[in-house]
């Protein structure tokens, strides 16, 4: 049975590279992406087409929403979790400091480490 991994922030540069490496090692990869009005999946679309959805599945959730994370973890039962999600837009991080803090720090502690 191959190992499985959950990669948060899979649509970002580092998350997409990690997903590629894990797939090359034979993992089943579950990627977590935040729902937004514009889907930024350019980094992973070719990878998803190449390996298929049975080895690389995309799930939607947010590190600030424990119910979505709990649902994805319960559904996927990953052997490993890699957290690469963050609110990384500098301008928005200053305009939404509470959300930024929750997604990059507090949300991880409350939702992924328990």
């Amino acid at each position: 049975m191959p190992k499985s991994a959950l990669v948060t922030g899979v649509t970002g540069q580092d998350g997409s590279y990690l997903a590629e490496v894990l797939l090359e090692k034979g993992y089943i990869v579950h990627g977590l992406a935040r729902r937004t009005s514009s889907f930024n999946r350019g980094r992973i679309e070719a990878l998803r087409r190449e390996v298929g959805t049975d080895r690389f599945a995309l799930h939607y959730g947010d590190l600030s929403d424990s119910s979505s994370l709990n649902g994805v973890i319960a559904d996927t039962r990953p052997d490993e979790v890699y957290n690469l999600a963050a609110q990384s837009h500098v301008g928005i991080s200053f305009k939404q400091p509470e959300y930024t803090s929750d997604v990059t720090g507090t949300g991880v502690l409350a939702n992924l480490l328990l």
Side-chain angles (χ1 to χ4, degrees):
M1 187 81 176
K3 283 190 170 187
S4 66
L6 173 63
V7 179
T8 68
V10 74
T11 59
Q13 176 183 318
D14 295 345
S16 64
Y17 287 147
L18 176 59
E20 187 175 342
V21 168
L22 292 170
L23 288 165
E24 287 172 0
K25 292 181 178 239
Y27 279 67
I28 294 171
V29 176
H30 298 278
L32 184 72
R34 184 171 37 104
R35 280 199 193 274
T36 61
S37 58
S38 62
F39 293 106
N40 182 17
R41 300 187 311 206
R43 290 186 178 102
I44 61 170
E45 279 307 312
L47 191 57
R48 290 180 71 202
R49 282 192 304 272
E50 182 180 320
V51 300
T53 56
D54 58 327
R55 290 209 39 232
F56 186 29
L58 189 60
H59 307 271
Y60 294 100
D62 193 306
L63 289 180
S64 67
D65 178 22
S66 62
S67 63
S68 68
L69 289 174
N70 289 335
V72 169
I73 290 171
D75 290 345
T76 62
R77 313 269 313 156
D79 296 303
E80 302 169 5
V81 177
Y82 296 91
N83 178 38
L84 298 173
Q87 175 9 343
S88 59
H89 188 281
V90 175
I92 293 174
S93 69
F94 282 104
K95 290 180 180 176
Q96 297 179 330
E98 201 170 315
Y99 176 76
T100 301
S101 172
D102 190 28
V103 168
T104 58
T106 313
V108 175
L109 288 173
N111 298 318
L112 287 180
L113 297 180
L114 300 177

